[in-house]
Amino acid sequence: VNNNKNSNDNITYRSFKNKGKEPTKMRDRRIAECVELRKAHKVESIMKRRNISSVGDEEPLSPEDNTDNKQVISETIQEIVANVNGECPEKQRQGCQAARKLLSRERNPPLKEIIEAGLLTRFVEFLGRNDDPTLQFEAAWSLTNVASGTSWHTQQVVEHGAVPAFIALLASPMLNISEQAVWALGNIAGDGPSYRDGLIDCGVIPALLARLTPDAPVGYLRNLTWTLSNLCRNKNPFPRFSAVQQMLPSIIQLLHHSDKSILSDACWAISYLTDGPNERIDVVIKTGILPRLVELLGFEELTVVTPALRSIGNIVSGSDLQTQAAIDAGVLSALPQLMRHPKSSVQKEAAWAVSNIAAGPCQQIQQLITCGLLAPLVDLLRNGDFKTQREAVWAVTNYTSGGTVDQVVHLVKCGALEAILNLLQAKDTKTVLVILDAINNIFLAAEKLGEVDKLCLLVEEVGGLDRIEFLQNHENNAVYRAAQALIEKYFSEDGDDQCLTTEATDSNFVFGPSDLQKRFVF
Amino acid sequence: MSQTSEPSADAAVTEAPAPVSQSETKQSPAGKKQNKKKVEEVVEEEEEEYVVEKVLDRRVVKGRVEYLLKWKGFTDVDNTWEPEENLDCPDLIAEFLQSQKTAESGGKRRAESDGDGKETKKRKDEPEKLRGFARGLDPERIIGATDSSGELMFLMKWKNSDEADLVPAKEANVKCPQVVISFYEERLTWHSYPTEEEEKKDDKN
């Protein structure tokens, strides 16, 4: 075909549609056409999403679109039932595959219809057909997808006896069948503690761990890790200790893998295992996994950082010893950049971890100072989103509660007092209470230094006094009483209850308004 | 160590705010009212000095610091709040303050389970089979196009198959250009050059 515009062929040129038209007009026309095509495409794709055929007489796009119609689904399922209940192996496979396709399509897989057609019995039966791997595979896949629905759907699968059959399939020499069994069991375990424990009672853990070999493909290991994490998941009750002990060494192993999905799911498993009383945290710490967790905190992938940080956060919400173990593993050097992470959820969780470390003894508070966590903390108080600020406020209150006078002074010098005073206008009552608590703690430190007056001036200078006074009108009892208490104790003219002990330190006038900075340490 | 705290509205800010979420350790039931009258009666009758066994809690009321005390020889029913200045047990107070930092309801706060990020169940919906041109089928015609994935894709109907699937336009342009051209040609629409009036109307659609 000669489509050369510059052809000298007169016939072609005469009939050439652009003959005689100006370039700018042609361009405008092309643009208009473009818009037209885009609009048509947009309409078409909207229609497609709404499953309306834009051109009536098009052939069906795929079996998927063809069966959105309930009538068609019903017919298809009838066909499946007939095939699956017959004796012909080929038809059985066909039926199973057709069911699998229905159940794995994008929109509205007909889980309920498949169940109601009584197909689950046959599917579970097919799981045992070692002579026909294709059949096993299609049945396993179909059951996996049914089990991925609501609790009711999963219950149907379990009640048709799928669990022992799937556990047996874990040992299948066909890797894709074994993997499918892993997946199905993951869905069942994920339903809740009841089925999780039921699986454990059926011996799922040794069967799973037997497949954790160095030569297992990454895709397989991903599914395995995810299923293991679901077996660690859920409280009320927690998985029993013996099961956890069985799984932990393998989870630790997986935490050293290089694949990010595997790392992510392994971290989630650890986060579930550490989300409990201190005895649970101990079991995890004893594996020696802390350094690796800290390392994972520094990964780029959010899918890894999030559960690693959650695990660390859980650990430092434990005892002082457990917190110290985390600190010794280097967690304080990883936290500052997490407090500056672009994702606010990471900032929030990092602040939460800091708040729990700050709830520890003053030696641990000192480590917060040494490792440079105060400046990022104050940054979060000033600039974090509200949930993050809330955690940072807790950090300040815990710090001022357990810190020495010098440590409290240091925190004030970093700007924390001014920052929390600015947050007194928060709508969240609890946060306001926590801030008032912190202010009280800071005043207690000032008392010990005999610097209450200076602190009052500082608070007033940054507009804090106004805010506290305003809170005396707060609707919440606890808030206005606390605000009142502060005013009465420290800002009232009478100054009766001020037990000004003069434990003077070397530094004179540690607290003081900024215009006195030249003369005073503060 | 268990603490009793007084979360009643009468209390001012306590130093130990309640934890954010449920924890394994059960909270004590709402604080017991101090049985001041009884203690006063006893004091009047016997005029002994009472010995503090343990400091249990701390609060600030009207600017005054008070501590909840367990008295030696008395049960917990008789615990009372006493102003700081009345007390002469700095060791017990220090011990309390120290332990308070590590007690779950005192300092540490457990995680809020705000949606644990990871899905509990997963449906397997990828087709096991090869897709697109890898299926080795002959293109019949293109029946749709989309760029929602960021790349222009054609929905391809293959010869001898009911199952259409997506192929990248870049690939189709090379492997079956005529099929691509037919698709576009079928969808060309001609417009006369719109006047200003018509343009405005068009934009409103």
Side-chain angles (χ1 to χ4, degrees), chain A residues 251-394:
Chain A
I251 295 172
I252 302 301
Q253 212 184 326
L254 291 163
L255 266 173
H256 286 92
H257 203 282
S258 55
D259 179 73
K260 303 300 183 283
S261 298
I262 292 176
L263 286 176
S264 173
D265 279 329
C267 280
W268 280 112
I270 298 289
S271 77
Y272 305 146
L273 292 176
T274 50
D275 183 9
N278 296 354
E279 306 86 70
R280 297 265 161 188
I281 297 176
D282 257 343
V283 170
V284 171
I285 292 181
K286 287 200 168 78
T287 64
I289 197 53
L290 268 167
R292 177 59 172 166
L293 276 178
V294 171
E295 196 184 339
L296 292 169
L297 285 180
F299 269 49
E300 204 184 300
E301 289 78 4
L302 192 61
T303 51
V304 173
V305 171
T306 300
L309 182 53
R310 174 56 70 95
S311 303
I312 292 288
N314 286 343
I315 291 172
V316 303
S317 78
S319 71
D320 287 350
L321 271 171
Q322 292 170 335
T323 306
Q324 192 60 45
I327 294 176
D328 293 342
V331 82
L332 293 183
S333 54
L335 282 174
Q337 69 238 50
L338 292 173
M339 292 162 85
R340 298 188 191 108
H341 197 277
K343 203 79 172 39
S344 65
S345 59
V346 173
Q347 291 184 353
K348 182 193 78 158
E349 295 261 304
W352 166 62
V354 171
S355 79
N356 274 336
I357 298 173
C362 56
Q363 296 80 3
Q364 290 180 352
I365 292 178
Q366 190 58 38
Q367 289 182 286
L368 285 176
I369 298 174
T370 331
C371 294
L373 273 98
L374 297 196
L377 182 65
V378 174
D379 274 339
L380 290 180
L381 284 171
R382 289 182 185 142
N383 304 319
D385 75 346
F386 181 66
K387 286 189 173 175
T388 305
Q389 286 173 323
R390 197 162 53 184
E391 299 297 336
V393 158
W394 275 105

